Amino acid sequence: MAPPKSKKSLAVKKPQPAVTGGSSAPGRRPRKAASRSLYSPAEVHEIFRRFCVQRPEPKGELDYVNAFTLLVAVVLSAQATDAGVNKATKTLFAAADTPAKMLALGEAKVGDHIRTIGLWRNKAKNVIALSKALIDDYDGQVPQDRDELVKLPGVGRKTANVVLNVAFGQHTMAVDTHIFRIGNRIGLAPGKTPEEVEQGLLKVVPAEFMRHAHHWLILHGRYVCKARKPDCPACVIADICKSKEKTTDVPAPLVPIAPLDETFPVPA
Ligand code: SF4
């Protein structure tokens, strides 16, 4: 039997520990150092402890049945609502839930399923191209490695981080607009770019909270620390927060949030 291609072995690789700030691996693009967090380790721990009390098990809004369909759903969700993506993928994933079935379905039929989603033509192309790449290079498996994931058509760093975190439980941080804003607004992980904020958060967030940290931050930004006007009276970390924009030092009562509100938008 012919030896497997070198890339294939990555498909069955065990989850890797999160890449934290600091030195870069040989051959990789050097990362800029993120600015320092304004918070002590004890303060950061308390922030995430409270988020954890509010939502012990935050759930995503995108529907998927396996790592491949999650990858496709996240690719489709760029500039589209999660509800709109779910509507389209309900029939798409019923017809094709593996790269081989997706490739057999073909670009035209994939397009028929996702026609209601923005940029559907280009996304149908990417879904077929990434399905083919998974079959050709990874034995039809979704690689558990960010450097490999971002080689797939339509897959950027944020999409890769979502898949690694949600499907494989890796301690990645998918920085979307909410997380970028919070990182800078409250000085938790200041940075000029999403990658700088990502590196800053990977450095400061305690390992025990990394599994759900990006979910909690997205929810906090979506419902409380909102873009236009933060709702500080509803904020459970108002006493710890060091933002110049905050309007109160009194934290909101720390109580679990109803399950109905426990969903969050997966960063596109
Ligand atoms: S106190 Fe206000 S500014 Fe600070 S995290 Fe809470 S909502 Fe955001």
Side-chain angles (χ1 to χ4, degrees):
M1 186 190 283
K5 289 181 195 173
S6 60
K7 279 181 180 175
K8 284 181 180 177
S9 60
L10 290 160
V12 291
K13 226 163 101 169
K14 285 188 177 149
Q16 300 295 306
V19 177
T20 55
S23 61
S24 299
R28 287 189 189 165
R29 181 159 56 101
R31 295 191 177 102
K32 282 186 191 165
S35 305
R36 290 176 74 90
S37 174
L38 298 183
Y39 299 82
S40 69
E43 287 170 328
V44 179
H45 190 281
E46 180 58 13
I47 287 171
F48 285 95
R49 186 193 72 79
R50 293 187 194 179
F51 288 160
C52 185
V53 170
Q54 276 193 305
R55 297 179 178 89
E57 290 288 333
K59 300 274 184 283
E61 281 186 345
L62 283 178
D63 294 336
Y64 64 97
V65 294
N66 52 31
F68 170 67
T69 50
L70 173 66
L71 176 62
V72 171
V74 180
V75 166
L76 295 179
S77 71
Q79 296 178 49
T81 65
D82 290 344
V85 171
N86 289 342
K87 209 170 156 196
T89 55
K90 194 172 180 184
T91 57
L92 177 65
F93 294 160
D97 59 0
T98 66
K101 288 181 195 168
M102 198 64 80
L103 199 55
L105 194 62
E107 188 179 320
K109 284 194 177 144
V110 169
D112 288 343
H113 285 282
I114 65 168
R115 209 166 279 244
T116 50
I117 302 175
L119 310 174
W120 65 271
R121 281 193 183 83
N122 201 35
K123 287 175 180 175
K125 260 195 191 75
N126 281 338
V127 168
I128 291 300
L130 79 80
S131 299
K132 186 169 184 322
L134 289 175
I135 291 166
D136 289 349
D137 299 333
Y138 304 98
D139 276 344
Q141 303 296 309
V142 176
Q144 300 185 29
D145 181 289
R146 184 169 51 218
D147 290 340
E148 298 303 317
L149 276 168
V150 297
K151 290 177 186 169
L152 297 169
V155 178
R157 186 181 183 89
K158 194 163 52 179
T159 296
N161 280 338
V162 172
V163 171
L164 292 174
N165 179 267
V166 177
F168 302 124
Q170 292 191 32
H171 290 180
T172 55
M173 178 63 64
V175 175
D176 75 340
T177 181
H178 295 300
I179 297 183
F180 185 72
R181 180 177 68 254
I182 291 172
N184 282 293
R185 176 186 274 165
I186 77 171
L188 183 61
K192 291 191 187 73
T193 64
E195 195 169 336
E196 280 185 37
V197 171
E198 176 188 329
Q199 294 307 322
L201 288 170
L202 288 173
K203 247 190 217 169
V204 300
V205 177
E208 68 193 274
F209 297 122
M210 271 305 301
R211 177 77 173 89
H212 294 311
H214 92 268
H215 302 170
W216 288 320
L217 288 169
I218 289 170
L219 285 165
H220 190 62
R222 185 185 191 197
Y223 294 114
V224 182
C225 199
K226 300 172 200 170
R228 281 199 175 172
K229 193 171 169 221
D231 187 3
C232 303
C235 179
V236 294
I237 60 166
D239 54 330
I240 307 172
C241 174
K242 297 180 184 177
S243 172
K244 287 182 185 138
E245 293 179 55
K246 81 170 176 179
T247 58
T248 179
D249 286 328
V250 181
L254 187 58
V255 290
I257 305 270
L260 195 64
D261 293 336
E262 283 185 359
T263 54
F264 64 94
V266 172

